Amino acid sequence: MNRKFKIPFALTILTLALVGCSSNKVKVEKVKPNPLPKIVETTALSPVFSQSVSSTSAKDPLRLQLDASNGVVFVVDPKGKVAAYQGKQRLWEKNVSKLGLSAGVEAKDNLVIVGNAKGQLFALDQATGEQKWTAQLSGAIISPSLIINNRVITVSNDGTVFAHNTSDGQQVWAYNLPNVQFSLRGNASPVAVDERAIVVASPNAYIYIIDSLTGNPLMQRRVALSDGRSDIKRLNDIDGDPVVVGQFLITTSYQGQVTALNLANQQVVWSENSSSTKRPEVVGNGVFVASTDGKLTAYEITTGDKLWENDQLLNRKLSNPVMLGTNLIVGDLDGYLHIVDPSSGQLIGRSKTSGEVRSLRVIDNQLYVATQKGAVSIWQNR
């Protein structure tokens, strides 16, 4: 029987930090986060919406995120509730699952999609919160779904990709990713390549392009390598969502590389060593990566040349970076939102929320933030 072990990221970091042992004791090197660097603030963020929901486990890297559709913001509570807000007015709130929620929100085509750790997928009506349908998957759902072509595409934690009809929740197809014995506890979300194809990333550092209508595989390619000597050091997961920009597919991997793949000829254009579990940000000619050790690095998209590197935030458990207007934003373990000049990597400002920043998104030039402590908020440039 094949068994698959999901390893919490924090435990992996602790394991990799072992520096010596004897028959009766193990010495662990403690890694301290860098203190906040002193900066001359030239810019700041202004909050336009905030709401508190239940906190999530500090050891479980759930990516509960806010989403918006038609001017309405949808908020998921890990205790099992989903709510809709227009401005500061709550339009509705629904108890969706007594077993809690572990993934979402994806809001599109008049649906709100969330899931839980028992593999239950829920579709709600955007206008009323009424439950339209539910579906049972074969594994936990710990990353948001994708709605495309009247399909809800979801990756379960056992490595199965599911497609369900948006209208009635009937399963249309399923695609099984290769079994991997060891992996981090985390999944990349499916991402649209074009109007029909999607890309799914796996724990074995492969990416798979699949037809969203039929489930037929169109391409598979390994995009990262790890040369560790143990199972832990060979972990090479792609947990950050891939990014598609023109002909480029950009991926990051844990203990691997940041890679640019040419979708036209399926060849790797460049690959640079970097360990990251976060989605990269790609804007203009820049690829911005937050590594697991807290470095922020910018690469040139066509060559992979390093444009700059900032190590002032080492070991601060950085979130995924995003571009808000002309500034790069990244969150950290203390809830700070660091504002970075994307041309130089210089820190130019910061704002503060509450709890480790787990998810950053930019929708309609506003920053959507979700933290481990349950602080969900929307910000804009001041």
Side-chain angles (χ1 to χ4, degrees):
M1 179 177 67
N2 289 330
R3 297 187 66 189
K4 186 175 181 180
F5 299 92
K6 288 285 183 174
I7 304 172
F9 178 68
L11 177 59
T12 306
I13 293 298
L14 180 63
T15 304
L16 294 176
L18 297 180
V19 296
C21 63
S22 66
S23 60
N24 57 4
K25 71 176 183 177
V26 175
K27 182 179 179 181
V28 178
E29 180 184 7
K30 293 183 179 180
V31 179
K32 293 183 179 180
N34 266 18
L36 282 177
K38 295 181 180 180
I39 59 174
V40 178
E41 294 193 21
T42 60
T43 187
L45 303 173
S46 297
V48 296
F49 171 86
S50 63
Q51 186 67 33
S52 293
V53 298
S54 303
S55 63
T56 57
S57 169
K59 298 179 180 179
D60 203 347
L62 301 181
R63 279 197 301 124
L64 297 164
Q65 64 184 23
L66 293 81
D67 204 357
S69 179
N70 300 317
V72 178
V73 176
F74 300 95
V75 178
V76 60
D77 188 311
K79 293 297 185 183
K81 295 180 181 180
V82 179
Y85 292 86
Q86 191 162 38
K88 296 182 179 180
Q89 178 187 4
R90 189 172 70 191
L91 302 180
W92 53 259
E93 182 179 76
K94 298 292 182 179
N95 288 306
V96 177
S97 171
K98 294 181 180 180
L99 300 175
L101 294 170
S102 57
V105 177
E106 166 76 352
K108 188 179 178 183
D109 295 350
N110 298 316
L111 290 180
V112 177
I113 304 295
V114 293
N116 68 17
K118 298 298 183 181
Q120 295 175 306
L121 189 68
F122 303 92
L124 312 179
D125 184 272
Q126 282 191 10
T128 65
E130 174 191 359
Q131 187 167 301
K132 305 294 287 185
W133 52 262
T134 64
Q136 181 64 55
L137 277 59
S138 57
I141 306 171
I142 59 175
S143 61
S145 302
L146 171 70
I147 297 176
I148 182 174
N149 278 326
N150 298 316
R151 304 280 193 263
V152 178
I153 312 295
T154 311
V155 182
S156 67
N157 202 37
D158 66 353
T160 308
V161 186
F162 291 90
H164 293 85
N165 275 328
T166 55
S167 58
D168 57 12
Q170 289 297 308
Q171 182 179 315
V172 183
W173 54 260
Y175 183 87
N176 294 315
L177 301 176
N179 183 72
V180 178
Q181 187 175 16
F182 292 97
S183 68
L184 298 181
R185 180 169 168 77
N187 283 335
S189 292
V191 173
V193 175
D194 53 34
E195 293 182 353
R196 181 159 174 169
I198 61 167
V199 60
V200 177
S202 77
N204 62 354
Y206 274 80
I207 58 96
Y208 300 83
I209 295 182
I210 303 171
D211 186 310
S212 64
L213 292 179
T214 65
N216 292 329
L218 305 175
M219 187 189 90
Q220 72 176 53
R221 185 72 158 79
R222 186 162 194 167
V223 292
L225 296 170
S226 182
D227 57 0
R229 296 184 178 181
S230 67
D231 289 335
I232 295 294
K233 290 185 178 181
R234 283 194 296 269
L235 287 174
N236 201 200
D237 295 33
I238 301 175
D239 282 352
D241 298 349
V243 177
V244 177
V245 178
Q247 80 270 31
F248 293 109
L249 173 67
I250 310 296
T251 57
T252 58
S253 59
Y254 179 62
Q255 300 183 143
Q257 293 82 35
V258 51
T259 301
L261 180 74
N262 188 325
L263 290 170
N265 60 18
Q266 303 181 18
Q267 297 301 308
V268 171
V269 180
W270 57 265
S271 184
E272 294 292 332
N273 288 337
S274 175
S275 176
S276 178
T277 60
K278 307 300 182 183
R279 177 190 185 274
E281 178 66 296
V282 184
V283 177
N285 72 329
V287 175
F288 304 95
V289 175
S291 61
T292 53
D293 64 1
K295 290 180 183 176
L296 268 178
T297 308
Y299 302 90
E300 207 282 327
I301 190 170
T302 61
T303 65
D305 291 342
K306 187 181 293 186
L307 302 176
W308 53 258
E309 184 174 84
N310 186 319
D311 61 1
Q312 293 177 287
L313 303 173
L314 287 179
N315 305 314
R316 295 193 64 86
K317 295 185 68 174
L318 298 185
S319 73
N320 61 299
V322 294
M323 191 71 75
L324 178 65
T326 59
N327 295 321
L328 189 70
I329 313 293
V330 67
D332 74 7
L333 77 172
D334 291 325
Y336 285 101
L337 301 169
H338 301 277
I339 307 171
V340 183
D341 181 342
S343 64
S344 66
Q346 180 181 357
L347 297 177
I348 57 176
R350 68 171 63 103
S351 295
K352 183 73 162 64
T353 181
S354 176
E356 178 188 332
V357 178
R358 288 284 179 85
S359 169
L360 294 183
R361 307 182 76 191
V362 173
I363 303 173
D364 296 333
N365 206 34
Q366 291 186 319
L367 178 69
Y368 286 60
V369 181
T371 77
Q372 179 267 325
K373 285 188 176 180
V376 292
S377 54
I378 302 174
W379 305 69
Q380 63 187 15
N381 284 314
R382 184 176 296 176

